[in-house]
Amino acid sequence: MRALTWQGANKLSVETIPDPEIVNPRDIIVKVLMSSVCGSDLHLLDGYVPTMHPGDIIGHEFLGEVVETGSAVTGLSRGDRVITVSIVGCGECAHCQREEYSCCDNSNPNPTATEVLYGQPCAGIFGYSHAFGGYAGSHATYVRVPFADVNVFKVPEGITNEQAVFVSDAVPTGYYGADIAEIEPGDTVAVWGCGGVGQMAIRSAYLMGAERVIAIDRFADRLHLAKKKGGAIGLDYTQFDIHEALLELTGGRGPDRCIDCVGMEAHTDNTLEQVYDKAKQQLRLHTERGAALRQAIYSCRKGGNVSVLGVYAGLMDKFPMGAIVNKALTVKSGQQPGQRYVSRLFEHILNGELDPSYLLTHPMSLEDGPQGYAMFKEKSDDCLRAVFIP
Amino acid sequence: MTSSRSESKLVAARTTSNNNVKGLERAASIAGGAMCVTQGFRKGGFVGLLHLVVGGLMIQRGASGHCSAKQMITPNPYEKQVAREHHWKTAKAISSSITINKPKEELYRFWRDFTNLPSFMTHIARIDVFGDQHSHWVATDASGSSVEWDATVTEERPNEYIAWASDDNAQIRNSGWVSFRDAPNGLGTEVQTLMAYEPPGGQVGHVVAKLLQKDPGTLARNDLRRLKQLMEIGELTTNATQNKPLLAGGL
Ligand SMILES: NC(=O)c1ccc[n+]([C@@H]2O[C@H](COP(=O)([O-])OP(=O)(O)OC[C@H]3O[C@@H](n4cnc5c(N)ncnc54)[C@H](O)[C@@H]3O)[C@@H](O)[C@H]2O)c1
Ligand SMILES: [Zn+2]
Ligand SMILES: [Zn+2]
């Protein structure tokens, strides 16, 4: 089969490699119909997530067709149109049974790396480094999916491929972020980052009763979509002092709920902060570029919630702990436990309350994968998400 | 005869004081440092100098982590106690603990049939069981060298505790126990294990050293993780995409 592989920092290539096979009884093989880029891949590309090996297949947000099922798989059969949640759950450990799938104890076959880094081993993720399980990703003709009964969902009639593919990752991530922000009616929610994840967080915040959502980014196309599709107020952080603007929009209180959809490569115009963070990051001293998260914590109203969806891999300098303590903030985070939400999300789509299909700005051939990522990384040609069709 | 009173205690946890550069971080430090130094030489000038200084610091930081090897040799209080109890010259003990989402009766039953242990213990190739109390253990390393011994169950309390020890003629004298306790909040069972052995010299010592080449604590924890996988999900988690027979999962 053909697959888009990581060859080194910012080096991708499409290779021919053996087709995957069923290995365990609960496995299935999916023939990939669509596989999307995600902001998380940029952290891999840029070399900020350790334990990538040349030849690793990336990609974790995908839709496809079941072509083969393991002996213990029931409820799925050849030809089913399915999506797979990008973070792997086993379904049986205490976390999975409490629907905390992204905290699964069993799905990472290489537990030692995250155990050393984070104190406890973390769940496996498709195409997301050996520390997160070394699972082959979805930018390929076929992908092997373990624990299919837990991680794979049939797409209902009436939902298009373009809508369904993002229910694998971007949609449940945004939804989870809004969920853990504990939005109450009347709340103002501020969302940093208007990529696929931010767009879905905006929509989800409204679905959960937010009165008003303020979206922050610097790209005009993304801010435009946040307004037009999400119904948010857009703020270009290169034009406004974000803290001043947020106070002004909230009667001086600050937003009730803040959602970070940016992550460890946040961009900032504060040159000192940027130079400092970036130099340390480049020197592999494992610190994050945390401008967006710092700002979210700084602007959040007293007693508010900060929900962190943006991915961070290591340690952050100048983490504003003082603001968290003295403003009594609640910080929540996590990789998305999409399995908990998929059926609810399909309902929202069928009811016309949510339509993620606009995230797909650039359908492309898998062979053009490297160009797709270059465009997504530079945010050129108004690229929100490039989706590969093998 | 031995250590039932030691169960559920903090046993072989080692201090790693003055050694906060661990594992991956250490490897990353050395690798990152080396990269910085290389870049430093290439770049020259002030930026290059900065790279050189930072790179050197990182390599030093990473390399100094290795002194933990020395620390491993000094026995901790529990190891001294085990050595006294067994009349060994000295003892090494490796303890580990995991919570498994299954009732303790089921876990006890699985463990009490010692022929099941090789399915999750990396270095145990085979265990033959004779009668209710006796067994023969074969440990093999990757190159195929092996160590064998006979063992006897020394104490057991159904659904709670099993202890065993090697017989006197053992090539390598060792003992172990496992305890099963209900975990709080219906989380299943807390399984705690301890394996102790008398560090042998000579050829046998060489094989044992190879068996435990990796950090023994990590090995023991990963053994328990495989047990957890077998009990909870009935298969060993793997990222393999080709259906070759697996030795022991991906751990
Ligand atoms: N928690 C999860 O399960 C999960 C799942 C998917 C993605 N993610 C993470 O979510 C983040 C966003 O993913 P994405 O696919 O939307 O990525 P993306 O790259 O498409 O979008 C990120 C956006 O953040 C904006 N941004 C950068 N710096 C900013 C700043 N200082 N203030 C405001 N906006 C800023 C960028 O302009 C960009 O539009 C990434 O960190 C990704 O790793 C997490
Ligand atoms: Zn993602
Ligand atoms: Zn699980």
Side-chain angles (χ1 to χ4, degrees), chain A residues 260-271:
Chain A
D260 167 1
C261 302
V262 176
M264 66 175 126
E265 294 179 68
H267 155 269
T268 170
D269 280 341
N270 180 335
T271 21

Side-chain angles (χ1 to χ4, degrees), chain A residues 19-26 92-94 97-98 105-106 109-112 115 121 133-135 144 147 283, chain B residues 24 28 36 51 58 101 185 187 218 221-222 225 228-229 232-233 235-243 250-251:
Chain A
D19 291 354
E21 298 168 354
I22 299 277
V23 179
N24 273 339
R26 291 166 66 194
E92 305 292 333
C93 70
Q97 299 216 324
R98 285 163 168 66
D105 281 335
N106 292 317
N110 304 325
T112 307
E115 174 170 57
Y135 286 105
R144 167 190 169 250
F147 315 118
L283 296 174
Chain B
L24 249 198
C36 281
H51 273 104
M58 286 168 80
N101 192 15
N185 305 321
L187 289 171
T218 305
R221 253 192 325 279
N222 285 347
R225 281 196 185 112
K228 179 178 163 80
Q229 289 169 10
E232 288 186 347
I233 59 182
E235 57 185 52
L236 291 176
T237 305
T238 177
N239 56 25
T241 55
Q242 302 298 307
N243 200 7
L251 286 171

